[in-house]
Amino acid sequence: MPQNDKPIYAQRRAQFASQLGHGAIAIVPTAPERVRNRDSDFPYRHDSYFYYLTGFCEPNAWLIVNGDGGSTLFCQPKDLEREIWDGTRLGPAAAPAALGVDAAFSVSELDAKLPSMLENRSIVWYPFATHQGLESRVTSWLDKVRARVRFGALSPQLLRDACGLLDEMRLIKDAHEQDIMRRAAQISAQAHVRAMQCSARMLRAGQDVREYHLEAEVLHEFRRHGSQFPAYGSIVASGANACVLHYRADAAPVRAGELVLMDAGCELDGYASDITRTFPADGRFSAPQRALYDLVLASQNAAISVTREGARFTDPHDATVRVLAQGMLDLRLLDANLVGTVEDVIEKRAYSQFYMHRTGHWLGMDVHDCGSYVEPGEVGRPDERRDPLSGETITDRPSRFLRCGMVLTIEPGIYVRPAPGVPECFHDIGIRIEDDAIVTASGCDLISRAVPVDADEIEALMRD
Ligand code: ZN
Ligand code: MG
């Protein structure tokens, strides 16, 4: 963590502490190291809540925040032998100056110190159902507190979920976060450009192009700009593979005349980006591909135009669906004689044959970031709406109002599997266009547009 970022984390801890309540205490562990196979671990990734409050990336660390002020870090002790093998550790002695916490101890003292820290506290906050074994750990500490009740100790009366408070804080991205997210999106956009150009260049040269070739370009571009990881498993789907929503980059050939759907984003300094582009492998859209592409783009534009402070989270999705539904009728993907008008298509959700996912999600430290999709102040308000995806009726839980600093993706798509009555020219075409948007007072700021979306611009880019 850069030293000038220290006040940001201190301020977040203070804001968190102020919401815990008098006499409360919060326990926030980081993520465990995970074995991949035998004695090899997965690359280590910190817990997002923990990192949000500390800026600290080492494993085996715990943050304790006192509702009345003050924070304590438990971290790995200095250990020359281990540091020779695994790398430098900050250590408890250096932690207060480096991270701005008030006190720090070795993580080996956690079980010894926690019971006395919980003693005489009223409420214990921790993230529910997030860390395996945490609940039983808390119980064992509370057990020790109770054993001291006869000596005049008070035992906490209430356990509360820290996720709710932290989710609300993380939902609005501050300037520091927005800056990192802009840079992450910029890198990912450049990576998409690179893969598009590589695809056209290799095909022009008569080379055998595979999905993994394009993934390799993307990963190279991420890493050479300092991204630590991909934010999620990259999807590079050629041809009909694009109709498999959670397809991963595999070894399928990338052929001239087919489209490639690429959903890939880097993680930079703990923040995700999430971009999808669909492009012709050789740089030229066919007429049917172009017709579907322009429809998806028009539906994305409709979603973008309603994304602003004060809109509901569901508004971009509803705008998308209306454009797609009309387009499906116009292109005869849906037969008006069977499904009726655009209102019928929406009402009966006939569009879901070709568009079966949501138009967006929160984006932040996690690619599907935390944060409630229900407006907290309106829970219980007599109100009925239909979930656009499941068709279920939701009562008393109106959709979230968008606020400045929220970040979400806008990602409509269309996926045409062969089926009776579906024009053959559209079979096996899958298209998604995904951008990352920061909500502003007047609209939204698309931070992923360093890679074009316009079909002509994509073709021009791939000609060079
Ligand atoms: Zn996404
Ligand atoms: Mg995506």
Side-chain angles (χ1 to χ4, degrees):
M1 176 182 81
Q3 273 304 287
N4 49 355
D5 287 352
K6 208 163 64 177
I8 293 166
Y9 297 98
Q11 197 263 322
R12 287 180 192 160
R13 286 192 298 272
Q15 196 192 334
F16 179 51
S18 73
Q19 299 174 76
L20 296 176
H22 179 67
I25 193 164
I27 303 168
V28 183
T30 194
E33 294 172 284
R34 291 178 210 275
V35 174
R36 180 174 183 275
N37 58 316
R38 202 167 169 93
D39 58 356
S40 297
D41 283 352
F42 280 106
Y44 181 69
R45 168 56 158 77
H46 54 256
D47 174 79
S48 296
Y49 293 123
F50 177 85
Y51 184 77
Y52 182 76
L53 295 171
T54 60
F56 188 48
C57 294
E58 283 185 29
N60 296 317
W62 297 65
L63 177 71
I64 314 297
V65 176
N66 196 318
D68 305 312
S71 55
T72 305
L73 184 84
F74 288 86
C75 64
Q76 301 179 116
K78 295 296 281 180
D79 179 339
L80 183 59
E81 167 72 12
R82 284 318 317 160
E83 289 181 56
I84 287 170
W85 291 91
D86 301 332
T88 314
R89 295 174 173 186
L90 179 63
L99 303 174
V101 293
D102 298 293
F105 301 100
S106 165
V107 70
S108 60
E109 295 183 67
L110 189 71
D111 283 326
K113 286 224 165 10
L114 253 288
S116 61
M117 293 178 83
L118 300 185
E119 200 173 295
N120 307 327
R121 297 272 138 203
S122 51
I123 312 169
V124 181
W125 295 78
Y126 62 88
F128 284 8
T130 306
H131 300 271
Q132 208 164 21
L134 178 57
E135 277 79 5
S136 60
R137 202 96 185 251
V138 172
T139 304
S140 77
W141 296 329
L142 291 175
D143 227 29
K144 294 217 170 70
V145 177
R146 219 155 333 144
R148 293 198 16 91
V149 166
R150 280 184 293 128
F151 302 95
L154 291 175
S155 184
Q157 298 295 302
L158 207 56
L159 301 179
R160 295 195 61 178
D161 187 4
C163 293
L165 293 182
L166 292 169
D167 287 352
E168 283 301 305
M169 289 176 68
R170 283 174 54 189
L171 192 51
I172 309 286
K173 276 68 179 175
D174 60 32
H176 172 257
E177 298 182 287
Q178 289 184 27
D179 174 60
I180 301 172
M181 293 190 73
R182 280 175 198 282
R183 284 187 283 127
Q186 178 76 24
I187 293 168
S188 298
Q190 274 174 254
H192 277 260
V193 168
R194 183 182 171 119
M196 285 179 188
Q197 292 182 323
C198 169
S199 177
R201 191 184 340 107
M202 285 181 75
L203 285 172
R204 273 199 299 269
Q207 288 167 314
D208 178 32
V209 187
R210 303 284 168 156
E211 291 163 342
Y212 58 72
H213 286 123
L214 305 186
E215 185 189 25
E217 295 297 313
V218 163
L219 296 179
H220 179 92
E221 196 69 12
F222 288 174
R223 196 66 180 124
R224 85 187 191 97
H225 286 107
S227 152
Q228 292 83 357
F229 314 96
Y232 53 94
S234 309
I235 296 172
V236 182
S238 70
N241 293 336
C243 294
V244 179
L245 293 180
H246 290 159
Y247 187 82
R248 298 286 289 267
D250 202 349
V254 173
R255 295 191 192 87
E258 290 185 335
L259 295 178
V260 179
L261 184 155
M262 202 168 80
D263 185 346
C266 72
E267 180 176 306
L268 181 72
D269 300 341
Y271 287 83
S273 55
D274 184 4
I275 302 180
T276 308
R277 288 292 182 268
T278 309
F279 55 92
D282 57 353
R284 293 279 302 168
F285 283 97
S286 71
Q289 289 168 351
R290 176 75 189 244
L292 287 185
Y293 187 90
D294 286 346
L295 172 58
V296 175
L297 185 57
S299 76
Q300 196 204 28
N301 283 331
I304 291 165
S305 70
V306 298
T307 301
R308 77 172 72 81
E309 185 177 36
R312 298 273 184 187
F313 175 80
T314 44
D315 288 349
H317 182 79
D318 293 342
T320 289
V321 162
R322 182 158 291 274
V323 173
L324 288 179
Q326 184 61 57
M328 289 172 192
L329 290 170
D330 296 344
L331 296 172
R332 308 207 185 289
L333 283 170
L334 293 173
D335 183 348
N337 295 320
L338 296 174
V339 295
T341 65
V342 68
E343 300 302 334
D344 297 324
V345 171
I346 294 168
E347 174 59 29
K348 292 183 222 150
R349 295 174 42 251
Y351 58 84
S352 66
Q353 182 182 352
F354 308 107
Y355 182 51
M356 58 298 275
H357 60 73
R358 276 174 223 280
T359 306
H361 52 80
W362 305 131
L363 181 70
M365 292 186 150
D366 301 313
V367 64
H368 295 158
D369 207 32
C370 61
S372 173
Y373 289 90
V374 169
E375 183 59 32
E378 293 186 341
V379 174
R381 197 185 79 166
D383 193 74
E384 218 172 74
R385 64 184 168 107
R386 210 158 62 133
D387 182 72
L389 215 57
S390 64
E392 283 168 33
T393 301
I394 299 178
T395 49
D396 311 337
R397 280 171 286 135
S399 170
R400 188 104 205 197
F401 284 123
L402 298 180
R403 285 173 54 198
C404 289
M406 288 180 174
V407 183
L408 68 156
T409 64
I410 304 177
E411 49 175 312
I414 207 161
Y415 313 90
V416 185
R417 284 173 177 273
V422 174
E424 219 169 297
C425 63
F426 297 130
H427 284 191
D428 292 326
I429 296 179
I431 293 167
R432 180 164 63 255
I433 305 172
E434 176 174 28
D435 281 291
D436 303 344
I438 301 178
V439 177
T440 65
S442 59
C444 66
D445 200 350
L446 298 173
I447 60 175
S448 48
R449 281 293 175 89
V451 53
V453 283
D454 179 79
D456 290 330
E457 286 177 42
I458 289 175
E459 288 188 343
L461 180 86
M462 293 180 72
R463 266 196 299 273
D464 308 329

